[in-house]
Amino acid sequence: MKRTLFKIGLLSSTLVCFSILNAQQNDSLKTTKIDEVVVTAYGVKKEKKALGYSFQDVKGQTLVDAKENNVTNALVGKVAGLQIIKGGFGPGSSSRINLRGFNSFKGDNQPLIVVDGVPLSNNLGSKPKQNDGNYNNDFWNPDLDMGNGLSDINPDDIESVSVLKGGAASALYGSRGGNGVILITTKTGKKRGGVGITYSTSLGFENIFIKPDLQHSFAQGSNGVVNSSSDPNPTTSSWGPSFESSGMKVHDNLKSFFKTGTNSQHTLSFQENLGENSSLYTSANYLYNNSQIPNSKYERFNFMAKMNSNFGANKRWTTEMKAQYISAKSNNRPSGGRGDGNYYPNILLMPQNIDIRDYREGQMQNDVASRWITSNGINPYWSAYNSLNSDKKDRFLLNGYLKYQFNNWLSADIRLGTDFYSLNSDAKVWTGSSRNNSYATSQEKFYENNYIASLNAKKDNIIGKWGGSLSVYGQMMETRTKALYFSTQKLIVPNVFSTDNTSDLAAAALNEVDFWKKINSVFAAAEINYDGYFFINATARNDWSSTLSIENRSYFYPSVSTSLVLTEMLNKFNGTTSKFITFAKLRAAYAITGNSLNPYELYNTYSLGADPNGHAILGKKKILYDSNLMAEKLKTFEVGVDLKFFNRVSLDVSYFNNNATGQLIDLPMNPLSGYEFKKISSGGLHNSGIEIVLNADIFKKENFSWNANANFSKMKSVIDKIDGSVLKYVLGGFDNVGIFAEVGKPYGAIYGTKFLRVEDVNNPYYGKLIVTNNGLPQATSENYYLGDQTPKALFGFTNSFVYKNIGLSFLIDGRIGGKFFSSTQAALQNSGLAADTAPGGKRDNFILDGVVQNGNGYTANSTEITQQDYWGAVTSGNLGITEQNIYDATNIRLRNVQLTYNFPKSIFQKLALQSAKVAFTANNVWMIYSKAKGIDPESVFAINSNAVGFENMAFPTSRSYLFTITLGF
């Protein structure tokens, strides 16, 4: 079987705009050849035509050109069925990856990240601070978002990213690949002109992308009256007089408080062949982000060295050695929640007749008294410089690879890899406000070691035109997290931040976490092919997990896939070829993957503690465990077709159906039992949908080319079962807002209160609001289904143009469907700042179209009310009437625009410089369509929760502009 091309990561149906900008370097988009080789699970190289499952690839240069601090965000809109969910807490915040929907009620639901064959921990947001594995997503004072693991990776080091979405694609990774796998291949040394040195520098600026819709007509006060100058605690609401009648000036406090942030990056790399059989790639990258959020900074340093070599007799030995070091530091990550730790509400809800800059002077030093509108309020400037936190992560990614080629069909290899990091953090609150003078510190260490060995055989024409391959693997994985967390709210000596300086040891929190897990595995992959057009692939994997009982810790994951290349089959049969359809392939796949327990969720144990008198006490955990539990199972089925027309247009269509069973969940129990939850294995859900990827070289001439790439995915999610008569399982939420997995509903059903209405369909007032005797709306006493968080469709559309040495590209992406609840909008409405509180810039009294209940009957409402009274009733309590602030999450945006110019190589003929390129990049350019009234639907409150349909005072997302110069020597 002839192989004429080897190139990792050229899948025309998935390449997007930016690759074409390097056309003069032979990196332009090209229609994929049928004998192209791609890298799949565990680094196995396969012909793309042999794949029986959906496979998409993104060029590393695409990720570099996006200029995102977090490489996760650079994948938005580029892969069908891939959704990025972002945290809204500054430049170092997390981003969650979701492929083809949520498959687990309680599990992580993220794909496994594999870098050069070694798994990378991609933990999100905060970390569990107790051995129960639960996160602190408290509505008032949640833990800080510390970023996700993938944000540590330098995009400049990435050669390609391969996305394995279906079970058959990722089944070799066992339980860890149940939600898909993202394979990252880093660069290797290549022969280049000159000395092989590349230097790139960029300077960027960021500001607020979108702001909540506000009214700019009314000032501070209540009931249309301005605050009395003698009031020591004036209201901070905006229900006062109009700006027009009072002559007061409108101030944009968001613009005044948030500054223009700056972002700078420097990358120096060297890649070259060292002789005939060895290559070296090294790089150093420095990123510094001085955020638009005052006194918030993010800094990252990356170093990587990678060497490949062939040696020995007939070059039978192959080695690869790689070392990566990452140092990431953050200062003053913004906090979330509605408590005093988050100062954003004080800025957002500040009356617009007050200039926040009047409260800046003298507040940006430590240990000063907070000066604010009210005596018990906290100045945001004071918080930015007196409520401080810092963290530093040192991370090492190390791996070694050794292969021996016995002959032209048999080889053996071994790979060793480790992912290790240590994370130290501190949080300090100085004296000067109503907040406690407090201190918290933590030390966390994590490692994951993997040892993988394989024996590989591959031969064509074994029997006639039949060929095949077989790979057998063994793997040992061990991962452990050890951490200590200390915090105190009472310091003996003010502002002496030390673990010894606490006046109340009983109230001090000291938690030790130790998560330890091992998985041993044996697995195999086999392929049978006939004459280069018919392929059958199968995998089988058995895991033994330390988190399951001896009787159940062994579990098996198989997969089978097949592909039939119709065009090649017809050509082999009778020489038939077509100039219209130049490639056609049918494929199908079925697999079983799953998910095992987290550490320490098997046996019921006691925790050791002490009472206030120092006596030892034992306490039970809140969850009743069951040692008979087994691993979750995810059964996936996929069919698809790959087509190419005129060797210029490629079309990839897939249908998938995923069924997850045996969900490992914590089912609520009667507290009188001594436990709050019971760990069970029950419940199921299924996701199904279609994915379409279209790539077209619309125009391609010597001096001008135009490439268009589009991807679209449509998905349906349904919960099949919870357990017995239990129909709902809570995923998250707060107060009267709940997000559930509910039987018969899509994943993430949102429940809350509705406006009280006449429900009797036979009543002439059916559907009318039932108001109080004062004419005000009321909430229902029960919660109702108000929508779900799951998007119905995702799409991305990229256009790339090249004219001589000038390149222009832009990406439009969007989400269709799904809902989310906005706590921010509820707070704005309550304070009188939301645009809805002053329709048309006015606040005329009105009569609500509703009825008043009189015994068993109703009469039309005739009571006049004010806007303040109405919105006070709508937003009463913590979150108000839920129905009011459920928003459609549909949004379409111009995500990225890039303009580049490559200087002609002719001007460098007598210089050491070999190439030069300048580029301008803009991200989050334009929100084309959204119904969320200025709230970015991508911002979620608890990024490490599966309840992503809840927004709670997230900091504004940013728009960035970057200028880049790249020089090659």
Side-chain angles (χ1 to χ4, degrees), residues 841-899:
K842 298 180 180 181
R843 281 185 173 160
D844 297 330
N845 292 350
F846 66 102
I847 298 174
L848 197 58
D849 184 14
V851 295
V852 179
Q853 189 168 13
N854 296 313
N856 295 325
Y858 301 97
T859 58
N861 174 45
S862 60
T863 305
E864 190 174 76
I865 59 174
T866 67
Q867 289 285 341
Q868 182 175 352
D869 289 337
Y870 173 80
W871 289 105
V874 169
T875 60
S876 62
N878 291 317
L879 298 174
I881 301 175
T882 312
E883 181 185 8
Q884 174 63 46
N885 287 303
I886 295 290
Y887 295 95
D888 185 353
T890 299
N891 68 97
I892 302 171
R893 70 186 74 199
L894 178 57
R895 175 76 58 175
N896 178 282
V897 175
Q898 187 186 35
L899 179 66

Side-chain angles (χ1 to χ4, degrees), residues 506-540:
L510 179 60
N511 295 318
E512 182 177 8
V513 170
D514 189 356
F515 292 112
W516 195 1
K517 183 176 182 177
K518 292 184 178 182
I519 298 179
N520 294 332
S521 312
V522 293
F523 46 104
E527 178 188 294
I528 300 174
N529 66 77
Y530 180 77
D531 204 18
Y533 63 80
F534 179 55
F535 304 85
I536 299 176
N537 286 274
T539 69

Side-chain angles (χ1 to χ4, degrees), residues 326-379:
I326 304 109
S327 174
K329 295 190 295 184
S330 288
N331 288 313
N332 307 318
R333 296 178 184 267
S335 177
R338 293 281 287 272
D340 289 337
N342 182 3
Y343 58 81
Y344 175 58
N346 286 352
I347 308 164
L348 179 63
L349 305 179
M350 189 174 187
Q352 296 173 95
N353 57 288
I354 302 174
D355 189 343
I356 195 170
R357 292 171 294 187
D358 294 340
Y359 290 87
R360 181 172 57 187
E361 189 67 29
Q363 295 291 292
M364 294 183 287
Q365 295 83 35
N366 296 140
D367 192 22
V368 296
S370 173
R371 177 174 56 87
W372 193 230
I373 305 168
T374 58
S375 59
N376 60 348
I378 303 176
N379 188 314

Side-chain angles (χ1 to χ4, degrees), residues 403-414:
K403 175 183 176 182
Y404 182 73
Q405 189 76 38
F406 294 99
N407 50 45
N408 63 356
W409 61 272
L410 182 64
S411 66
D413 59 58
I414 184 170

Side-chain angles (χ1 to χ4, degrees), residues 59 149 193 199 208 256 285 297 328 333 440 648 772 796 857 879 882 923:
K59 289 287 288 181
Y199 172 70
I208 295 176
S256 297
N285 171 268
K297 300 175 177 63
R333 296 178 184 267
R648 296 173 68 90
T772 66
L879 298 174
T882 312
N923 289 314

